Amino acid sequence: MQREIGEKWTALPTGAVDQSQVRQASRRCRYSAAQAPATLCMVLMLLLSLAPLVQSSQWRQSRTVDGIVLESRQRDSRYLEHRGAVDLCGDLQAVLEFVSEPDELVNWVPYTAAAERLPEKDGAVVYHVVTKAPWPYKPRDMVYVLDVTLSGDHAAVQMIGFPSHIPQQEGMVRMRGADGVWKFVDEGNTLAVSLQMWVDPGGGPALLVNRRAATTVGGMLANLRSRYPCDDAPAAVQPTQENVGKG
């Protein structure tokens, strides 16, 4: 069964422009009409009023990966944020532990070349990940800190990029930023799961980066579904070179 993406999940916060800027621009246009052409005032007000939409745009369906419908939206970056959702059949605690285990990442997260657990930070899981990149680009790497919360039948795993945590590695490009969140709800017979992610790989064509980021989110959900399948789920997608470790 395909989970409706926006059914239960709330979006990560993004920036917004203070609407007082729009009101101030309106007053300036009214009181200085003699000095400024009317068209210029109208353009200024329009740009200011549209700015919040650019920074925190609506989610839009973007593609389907292994039967999983993905949505994307614009952030304050040329790289898009992506999200998707699936239903699993598995124990909440077991799924939570699997998703939070760095040593397993190379087996089910697309494009992952290597993953290494680092010493914990204030009790949180910390790990270093190397991500494959297509020629002629260098591999990317990033340090992530996981914040895991479990409350009854709800759980979440917040992933926060920490690029300055270790020195840059030779032959790699350190990602500039990354954040994401897994959300889990135990609904009795099924486990509702969503994943929302954004990355800035430290450069690269937006079209290529956005496509691979969406494929990563879809591949992670598909591979998790294949590990914890339900009777009515689509045919399991085995974690092979077709959907894991691509590059």
Side-chain angles (χ1 to χ4, degrees), residues 98-106 108-109 112 114-121 124-131 141-148 157-163 165-166 174 178-180 182 195 197 220:
F98 177 76
V99 167
S100 305
E101 178 49 62
D103 293 339
E104 293 284 353
L105 296 179
V106 294
W108 68 283
V109 176
T112 301
E116 175 189 12
R117 181 187 288 267
L118 301 177
E120 292 187 354
K121 179 179 175 61
V125 175
V126 182
Y127 59 93
H128 175 243
V129 174
V130 178
T131 302
D141 75 327
M142 178 57 117
V143 174
Y144 292 90
V145 177
L146 295 188
D147 180 17
V148 181
V157 179
Q158 189 84 34
M159 300 168 284
I160 304 168
F162 196 3
H165 186 62
I166 62 174
R174 180 64 48 84
D179 61 59
W182 286 97
L195 172 61
M197 285 192 68
M220 291 170 74

Side-chain angles (χ1 to χ4, degrees), residues 87-91 95 189-191 225 227-232:
D87 285 332
L88 309 180
C89 288
D91 177 70
V95 175
N189 294 329
T190 59
L191 186 63
R225 182 184 60 194
R227 185 177 178 89
Y228 302 98
C230 296
D231 293 338
D232 61 346

Side-chain angles (χ1 to χ4, degrees), residues 1-2 11 19 28 43 78 88 94 113 137 143 204-205 211 222 247:
M1 181 173 61
Q2 174 63 45
Q19 290 301 305
R28 283 197 295 269
V43 170
R78 61 195 180 114
L88 309 180
Y137 302 103
V143 174
R211 184 174 68 247

